[in-house]
Amino acid sequence: MKIIRSNAAGRRTGAACALKGLAVVLGATLLVACERPPMESVQHGYRGTGMVQVYNPRTVEANIENNVVPVALPQAEGGGPKASAVYQNVKVLGDLNVAQFTRVMAAMTTWVAPKEGCVYCHNPANLAEDSKYTKVVSRKMIEMTRHINKDWQQHVGSTGVTCYTCHRGQNVPGEIWTKLNPQPYGSNFMGDKAGQNEPNPVANLSSLPIDPFTPFLLGDEKIRVNGTTALPSGNRQSIKQAEATYSLMTHISTSLGVNCTYCHNTQSFSKWEGGPPQRLTAWYGIRMARDLNVNYMETLVEAFPAHRKGVLGDVAKLNCATCHQGAYKPLYGAPMAQDFTELGGLAKVLASNVPKKQ
């Protein structure tokens, strides 16, 4: 009898240990998607509004390493002949003198093609010819960079951008997008799933649409879906439209490494009054991305080879992550454009860049 009682007690002890082990495993499973403490919070608005930014110091530290700015080449002296007078077929940077032109070309090589060097864009037998598509594309990208620094200071400010802002030493920027090929869910009787319920980093692995870029950063669809008055308010935005908007907002939040209160007042997301100034900066940023995609990237469809296009034959385009890459300011605000004034110019405020009160 003693042996029997001993075995029973052993079974009970074993069962208890098994339950504890199961509890540990379940607890660990539940915490897999959570970020371990300590976390840091920064008050971002008036006290009591709940406008706090929460940061993971380990994530921030890792991201800082990905946003190290290369050492700028020494400034070139002014004066001397223009590049357009010395070199052939200089269509964009011809206003620079030879020293400035050479400096920009050398910097672009390290920014975009550090392994390939000049031959990534140029035929070494004839540097002037446009036989390589990469040279045609690069020329358009230089125009785009100057356009951003001149005409979109409402978004980039005096910090500006250079080729490195997006490329980071890669031929192709790490964060780009092309149109998706819309496929109905299963057969047509289920309807079009609108790119939802497909785990994708764009929507932060949620069930939201995974292509908020085509309607908002290429097209001019209405982004606002929240009404500003009590129902009935005349707000006819559908749930589907709202989901696309939330997907775009999720993309912006993830791209900048911030939460919603970085741009919005939590008392009323739809109102401008009392909101942080970053919301206006973001307003310009959305329109800047749309302008660049439509007037620069889309114009290069004929220049790009087939293997560099998307499944629908369109060229790669930019979104918020292309420049920001997890930082609230690209390269954490390093003023690269000030080191390369050759890619800047006088600011010109476009009439279409003034927000209207809604």
Side-chain angles (χ1 to χ4, degrees):
M1 293 298 293
K2 290 182 180 180
I3 296 176
I4 295 173
R5 283 196 296 271
S6 177
N7 290 340
R11 287 194 295 271
R12 286 195 298 271
T13 302
C17 291
L19 288 174
K20 289 181 180 178
L22 180 60
V24 170
V25 172
L26 290 175
T29 302
L30 291 173
L31 292 175
V32 164
C34 300
E35 297 182 80
R36 65 178 176 86
M39 304 293 285
E40 295 181 0
S41 61
V42 179
Q43 185 172 313
H44 192 62
Y46 293 110
R47 294 179 62 184
T49 61
M51 297 181 65
V52 174
Q53 289 294 302
V54 180
Y55 297 99
N56 183 330
R58 293 170 297 280
T59 303
V60 172
E61 183 178 356
N63 202 43
I64 288 176
E65 296 178 1
N66 298 327
N67 284 272
V68 176
V69 180
V71 178
L73 297 173
Q75 292 282 351
E77 295 183 1
K82 298 294 184 182
S84 57
V86 176
Y87 303 117
Q88 297 178 2
N89 198 24
V90 179
K91 298 179 179 179
V92 179
L93 298 175
D95 58 314
L96 305 180
N97 64 33
V98 172
Q100 294 169 328
F101 179 83
T102 304
R103 178 176 184 259
V104 172
M105 290 293 103
M108 285 180 60
T109 302
T110 62
W111 292 339
V112 179
K115 295 180 180 179
E116 300 85 351
C118 303
V119 296
Y120 181 69
C121 292
H122 294 277
N123 176 0
N126 183 359
L127 298 178
E129 71 174 31
D130 295 342
S131 57
K132 291 191 175 185
Y133 82 92
T134 46
K135 184 181 179 184
V136 177
V137 172
S138 295
R139 183 182 285 136
K140 196 69 175 178
M141 294 301 95
I142 295 172
E143 291 180 352
M144 184 178 75
T145 300
R146 283 186 153 186
H147 171 57
I148 295 171
N149 290 330
K150 292 177 183 178
D151 303 328
W152 283 106
Q153 288 197 358
Q154 305 98 324
H155 184 70
V156 301
S158 60
T159 302
V161 298
T162 65
C163 312
Y164 187 80
T165 306
C166 296
H167 282 267
R168 312 288 175 98
Q170 303 176 85
N171 299 156
V172 181
E175 299 290 344
I176 54 177
W177 66 276
T178 55
K179 297 177 185 177
L180 296 179
N181 187 14
Q183 294 292 333
Y185 183 78
S187 57
N188 288 330
F189 79 92
M190 291 294 290
D192 185 355
K193 60 180 179 179
Q196 293 186 246
N197 300 314
E198 295 182 8
N200 192 292
V202 168
N204 205 19
L205 305 180
S206 69
S207 63
L208 295 170
I210 61 175
D211 180 20
F213 311 128
T214 299
F216 301 129
L217 301 186
L218 187 62
D220 191 15
E221 295 294 328
K222 187 175 182 180
I223 298 175
R224 170 174 289 183
V225 292
N226 287 356
T228 57
T229 60
L231 294 176
S233 63
N235 184 355
R236 306 303 301 169
Q237 302 300 305
S238 67
I239 293 177
K240 186 175 181 179
Q241 289 171 305
E243 289 172 332
T245 290
Y246 294 154
S247 181
L248 178 66
M249 295 297 108
T250 298
H251 161 74
I252 294 175
S253 177
T254 304
S255 300
L256 275 64
V258 298
N259 39 282
C260 304
T261 57
Y262 189 71
C263 292
H264 293 277
N265 186 333
T266 53
Q267 292 181 331
S268 177
F269 277 71
S270 61
K271 289 185 178 180
W272 284 87
E273 293 77 13
Q278 286 81 0
R279 183 177 179 184
L280 184 60
T281 304
W283 188 95
Y284 284 119
I286 291 171
R287 283 146 185 83
M288 182 188 77
R290 186 184 299 151
D291 168 39
L292 303 182
N293 285 331
V294 172
N295 296 312
Y296 289 87
M297 301 310 305
E298 287 283 276
T299 62
L300 291 168
V301 172
E302 299 300 325
F304 274 108
H307 72 274
R308 287 289 307 279
K309 297 179 182 178
V311 294
L312 297 181
D314 63 320
V315 300
K317 291 170 280 292
L318 58 92
N319 55 31
C320 305
T322 309
C323 290
H324 284 269
Q325 302 192 28
Y328 69 99
K329 288 185 178 181
L331 300 166
Y332 287 109
M336 286 193 68
Q338 295 182 23
D339 293 330
F340 287 88
T341 54
E342 299 93 337
L343 297 175
L346 298 175
K348 178 180 66 176
V349 178
L350 304 180
S352 59
N353 292 349
V354 180
K356 298 178 181 178
K357 281 198 171 184
Q358 298 184 36

